[in-house]
Amino acid sequence: MRTLVGTLAGVACLVALAGPAPAAEPTGMSFTVVNIEYEGTKIWTPGTLVVKKGTKVTVKLINNVKSEPNQHGFAIPGYNVAAIVNRGEPQTVEFTADKAGVFPIICQLHPAHVGGELVVLE
Ligand SMILES: [Cu+2]
């Protein structure tokens, strides 16, 4: 009986050790980026997204611009990410940041639209 109790205690200990990974090793990051209009300029904000290489990135995109057109693009050409976001219809894009560097974020539909940059740290 004592052996059985000891074994069960050992198993319980192993299960506890196999719990959630430490917070120091992030595997995923989520952002919400909103398209707004300020004094006539369309802007994706926040403009700068910073992650570590290897992170699974999830970006929720919300187009709140009231003026026409009702569609804006969100693209990160360096990562082959491109979405078209309709006003009032949030979208989500996902990708793994598998290469370090600074990658422009643009609206592929309107060159004047202010985007930003994805910063992937080594
Ligand atoms: Cu746009």
Side-chain angles (χ1 to χ4, degrees):
M1 191 60 192
R2 178 168 291 177
T3 307
L4 179 60
V5 169
T7 303
L8 287 176
V11 168
C13 188
L14 283 175
V15 168
L17 285 173
E25 297 265 0
T27 54
M29 276 193 81
S30 297
F31 299 92
T32 298
V33 180
V34 181
N35 186 26
I36 60 168
E37 182 170 18
Y38 181 71
E39 296 188 351
T41 300
K42 278 72 165 204
I43 305 165
W44 282 112
T45 186
T48 303
L49 309 180
V50 182
V51 299
K52 287 184 182 169
K53 188 176 160 185
T55 302
K56 185 177 181 228
V57 182
T58 302
V59 186
K60 182 179 182 184
L61 301 166
I62 299 173
N63 176 7
N64 274 343
V65 170
K66 302 277 186 284
S67 65
E68 292 303 312
N70 73 336
Q71 287 189 321
H72 289 280
F74 178 95
I76 310 173
Y79 267 96
N80 288 322
V81 169
I84 292 178
V85 188
N86 295 330
R87 182 193 308 130
E89 296 176 21
Q91 278 209 43
T92 300
V93 296
E94 290 182 338
F95 59 95
T96 299
D98 55 7
K99 56 193 176 209
V102 179
F103 304 91
I105 297 172
I106 62 168
C107 168
Q108 71 273 34
L109 302 181
H110 314 115
H113 192 146
V114 177
E117 59 280 315
L118 167 71
V119 179
V120 181
L121 304 173
E122 193 64 63

